[in-house]
Amino acid sequence: MKENYNFYNIIKSLSYAMDLVSKTLVGHHKRTAYVSYRFGLKLGLDTKEMKKLITASLIHDLGIFYLDQQYQDLKFDNESNYHAEVGYKLLEQNSFDPEFADIIKYHHHGYPNNPNQLSSIIHFADRMVVLILDDKSILNQVDHIKKVIENNKERFCPECFKIFSELIENEAFCLDIVSEEVISKTLDNFFEDIDWEIDLDELINVSKLISHITDFRSPFTAAHSQGIAAVAPVLAEKYNYSRSECKEIKAAAYLHDIGKLIVPTEILNKKGKPTKEEWNILKSHTYYTYQALSTSPKLNKIRNIAAYHHEKLDGTGYPFQIDEKKLSLSERIMAVADIFTAITEDRPYRKGMKKIKLKRF
Ligand SMILES: [Fe+2]
Ligand SMILES: [Fe+2]
Ligand SMILES: [Fe+2]
């Protein structure tokens, strides 16, 4: 049976996972997406443009995670383009719509040097959102936000500035932009009636992109998901899996460590064995893989294959302690592929075992 997946749900998974990296980032992408959405409505953008605007906003800073860059770029006065360029390259190399890649590329280009209307909106929304402090009532921050934006008026597109000047006077708008519930509901409602279906091959492409973000944070895991994505489908083939089932496994392999964004790089790259406390943080990654991929019932099968890779037949695995009665063959294949790949890779505290050559799927 041909399965289709909703692109928005996959982007939501990535957006969720990116929030795990740092407390400074929690809600940043969603908030930016929501503000962009409100600007887009005022600008009268059509559905096609709105779709692009929201999804691009939801992942606009993806380049920041590459090689674990620091987050100075999130500060209002810092408009470094480096992470935007990296995000652009990541999207471009993973066969994303070039228009989508361009939106990310220009999201720090100020007025009048921004050639892309959607990027200008994200630029404005993003700069506005970074001014918000979570430990203070938003209504008590309005004057400050207005002052800073007005002082930097020439950096922003005049149309966006006009919309901002109207919206910021509306208390409900201000309260909406800090309400996680309103933001999620609004964005979900917008996409509810829109089909933005992608097939398994496209899902593999997005998943591969996600694996770059999760794996490249540490040189020790730089090719980890790629390795599993090569091994697991070969094992599945041995069990006479159909071509599309093998592809599901491949997508799950690319996604299996998405929850690793919760683990700080100091732990990932630590020389020597992790302490008990560090090990507990490491162990939580599959829980977050499960949560990140819980964005649609259609993704559940792939989510389970991805998230159960540290469960064991005798129920002593983690974090769900699922045993052989519940673990499907695909989930077991993923666990074996993960162990096999991991023992062939170097870790800060040991050398990898000698690799053997496998036929690529
Ligand atoms: Fe950015
Ligand atoms: Fe941003
Ligand atoms: Fe893992």
Side-chain angles (χ1 to χ4, degrees), residues 60-61 83 107-108 126:
H60 68 273
D61 279 332
H83 71 275
H107 84 266
H108 279 283
D126 174 65

Side-chain angles (χ1 to χ4, degrees), residues 87-116:
Y88 164 74
K89 286 266 179 285
L90 278 169
L91 293 169
E92 198 201 23
Q93 283 162 13
N94 287 279
S95 332
F96 262 72
D97 177 348
E99 228 187 303
F100 200 84
D102 269 353
I103 303 171
I104 304 289
K105 181 176 182 171
Y106 297 112
H107 84 266
H108 279 283
H109 277 57
Y111 183 79
N113 303 319
N114 197 325
N116 188 305

Side-chain angles (χ1 to χ4, degrees), residues 171-190:
E171 287 88 356
F173 168 77
C174 298
L175 293 163
D176 282 347
I177 61 178
V178 291
S179 165
E180 152 76 30
E181 213 189 340
V182 169
I183 293 173
S184 297
K185 243 192 244 165
T186 309
L187 301 182
D188 287 353
N189 284 347
F190 175 81

Side-chain angles (χ1 to χ4, degrees), residues 43-292:
L43 285 162
L45 298 186
D46 64 21
T47 311
K48 207 173 143 222
E49 295 295 284
M50 283 293 252
K51 270 165 51 173
K52 278 192 221 152
L53 176 67
I54 298 171
T55 43
S57 302
L58 279 173
I59 58 166
H60 68 273
D61 279 332
L62 82 166
I64 262 181
F65 305 98
Y66 193 81
L67 297 177
D68 204 39
Q69 283 190 62
Q70 297 302 307
Y71 308 117
Q72 288 93 326
D73 291 2
L74 293 180
K75 294 200 178 108
F76 185 85
D77 291 320
N78 196 321
E79 292 260 36
S80 155
N81 273 332
Y82 184 66
H83 71 275
E85 282 290 336
V86 173
Y88 164 74
K89 286 266 179 285
L90 278 169
L91 293 169
E92 198 201 23
Q93 283 162 13
N94 287 279
S95 332
F96 262 72
D97 177 348
E99 228 187 303
F100 200 84
D102 269 353
I103 303 171
I104 304 289
K105 181 176 182 171
Y106 297 112
H107 84 266
H108 279 283
H109 277 57
Y111 183 79
N113 303 319
N114 197 325
N116 188 305
Q117 188 198 18
L118 300 184
S119 300
S120 304
I121 302 171
I122 297 176
H123 176 234
F124 200 113
D126 174 65
R127 293 298 89 187
M128 181 183 156
V129 162
V130 296
L131 292 172
I132 300 171
L133 303 172
D134 281 319
D135 55 359
K136 211 171 154 188
S137 156
I138 183 72
L139 298 182
N140 288 327
Q141 299 181 62
V142 166
D143 289 342
H144 173 72
I145 295 171
K146 266 164 61 180
K147 201 170 137 203
V148 177
I149 299 273
E150 272 159 21
N151 287 344
N152 289 276
K153 197 178 162 182
E154 69 292 342
R155 281 162 68 178
F156 301 112
C157 91
E159 271 175 302
C160 288
F161 181 77
K162 199 168 157 265
I163 291 169
F164 162 79
S165 306
E166 281 168 42
L167 286 174
I168 199 75
E169 298 301 337
N170 183 295
E171 287 88 356
F173 168 77
C174 298
L175 293 163
D176 282 347
I177 61 178
V178 291
S179 165
E180 152 76 30
E181 213 189 340
V182 169
I183 293 173
S184 297
K185 243 192 244 165
T186 309
L187 301 182
D188 287 353
N189 284 347
F190 175 81
F191 280 96
E192 203 171 68
D193 305 320
I194 294 171
D195 13 275
W196 196 355
E197 300 226 304
I198 55 170
D199 63 20
L200 251 176
D201 290 314
E202 288 165 306
L203 178 70
I204 288 173
N205 273 344
V206 189
S207 306
K208 194 173 171 191
L209 164 80
I210 293 174
S211 78
H212 291 325
I213 298 164
T214 52
D215 288 2
F216 284 10
R217 295 174 68 230
S218 162
F220 298 100
T221 58
H224 178 64
S225 300
Q226 300 228 37
I228 303 180
V231 171
V234 176
L235 295 178
E237 256 188 342
K238 300 270 177 216
Y239 283 99
N240 297 320
Y241 271 42
S242 68
R243 205 167 161 71
S244 73
E245 284 173 317
C246 289
K247 286 182 179 176
E248 282 175 353
I249 299 242
K250 196 177 181 78
Y254 281 131
L255 295 168
H256 81 291
D257 271 346
I258 186 171
K260 250 194 188 156
L261 289 171
I262 193 80
V263 184
T265 41
E266 304 82 70
I267 298 182
L268 291 177
N269 296 324
K270 187 188 166 187
K271 292 206 165 51
K273 291 215 170 199
T275 62
K276 193 168 172 265
E277 286 73 24
E278 289 163 346
W279 180 236
N280 281 333
I281 296 170
L282 275 163
K283 272 171 93 174
S284 67
H285 78 278
T286 36
Y287 173 82
Y288 290 106
T289 291
Y290 185 92
Q291 300 305 340

Side-chain angles (χ1 to χ4, degrees), residues 297-356:
K298 277 195 170 184
L299 259 184
N300 286 358
K301 187 176 171 195
I302 289 181
R303 172 197 67 191
N304 294 352
I305 302 173
Y308 296 162
H309 68 270
H310 290 300
E311 303 295 338
K312 287 186 182 160
L313 295 176
D314 62 4
T316 61
Y318 61 86
F320 300 105
Q321 289 147 21
I322 295 170
D323 63 16
E324 61 184 324
K325 288 189 233 89
K326 287 236 177 90
L327 285 168
S328 71
L329 181 60
S330 304
E331 290 151 15
R332 297 174 194 204
I333 287 174
M334 189 58 59
V336 170
D338 181 57
I339 294 167
F340 169 76
T341 311
I343 59 174
T344 60
E345 293 165 342
D346 290 344
R347 288 291 177 265
Y349 48 88
R350 61 148 172 85
K351 280 267 163 229
M353 287 183 188
K354 201 168 168 278
K355 289 180 187 173
I356 56 161

